[in-house]
Amino acid sequence: MKNKVTPAPVIDEKLKLVNKPNGKGLTRIVKATQCSFRGFAAAWQHESAFRQELIMALVLLPFSFVIASSTLHLLMLISCLLFVLFAEIVNSAIEALADAITLENNVLIGRAKDMGSSAVFIALTLLTLVWLEAIWRYVTLHI
C-alpha cells in the first residue's frame, strides 16, 4: 500500500506556492534584484530593529569618511555597518519563517530564533569594537 502525499493547505491565495522558474542570464538577475528590494521593503515595514539599525548605519556612514585612517579602514567601518544589516535581515527571515510554521512554543524554533538573535549580537559587537578603535585612533591623532 502506497502512502499518498497530501498537499499542504493554502492559507491565502497570495501565499500559494508556485513552481516558478528563475530564468536565465539577465532575466534571472533582474528577478533576483526585484526579490531583494521586496526583502528590503518587508524588513523596513515589519521589523523595527531593522529600521533602527538602518538609521544608525545612515547616521554613522558619513562619519566613517572622517575617522577612517586609510581606504582599507574606511571599507572595514562600512563593512561592519552592512554586516549588522545583513545579520538583522537573516534574523528577521528566520523569525518570519518560524512564525509562519507555528506561533506555539517549540524548543527547536525557539533555538533557531535565539541563534538568529545571537548573530545580530555578534555583528553589533564587531561594529562596536571596530568603531571604538577608529574613534580612539582619530581622537589620539587629532588632539
Side-chain angles (χ1 to χ4, degrees):
M1 181 174 187
K2 292 184 179 180
N3 292 335
K4 291 187 178 181
V5 177
T6 56
V10 176
I11 298 170
D12 184 345
E13 197 60 33
K14 290 180 182 177
L15 297 177
K16 189 175 181 179
L17 297 176
V18 178
N19 186 12
K20 56 183 181 179
N22 291 332
K24 294 179 182 180
L26 189 58
T27 303
R28 188 198 62 75
I29 294 170
V30 170
K31 286 182 180 181
T33 302
Q34 290 170 340
C35 290
S36 296
F37 282 114
R38 282 197 305 271
F40 287 130
W44 177 263
Q45 182 178 5
H46 300 288
E47 299 296 331
S48 61
F50 178 78
R51 289 190 297 273
Q52 292 169 341
E53 291 158 353
L54 180 60
I55 291 168
M56 174 194 67
L58 293 173
V59 167
L60 290 178
L61 182 64
F63 291 107
S64 64
F65 291 93
V66 175
I67 66 173
S69 59
S70 67
T71 304
L72 187 59
H73 200 209
L74 174 65
L75 290 174
M76 189 66 182
L77 291 168
I78 294 171
S79 294
C80 287
L81 294 172
L82 294 174
F83 186 57
V84 169
L85 298 176
F86 168 80
E88 187 60 52
I89 283 188
V90 170
N91 182 45
S92 297
I94 291 168
E95 289 179 356
L97 184 59
D99 291 346
I101 294 169
T102 182
L103 294 175
E104 295 179 16
N105 280 341
N106 179 291
V107 174
L108 295 176
I109 289 176
R111 188 184 308 162
K113 287 182 169 188
D114 290 345
M115 289 177 183
S117 179
S118 295
V120 175
F121 180 80
I122 290 168
L124 287 168
T125 302
L126 176 65
L127 175 112
T128 301
L129 292 172
V130 170
W131 274 78
L132 284 177
E133 184 279 333
I135 292 167
W136 176 260
R137 181 184 301 225
Y138 181 80
V139 168
T140 57
L141 291 175
H142 291 87
I143 288 184

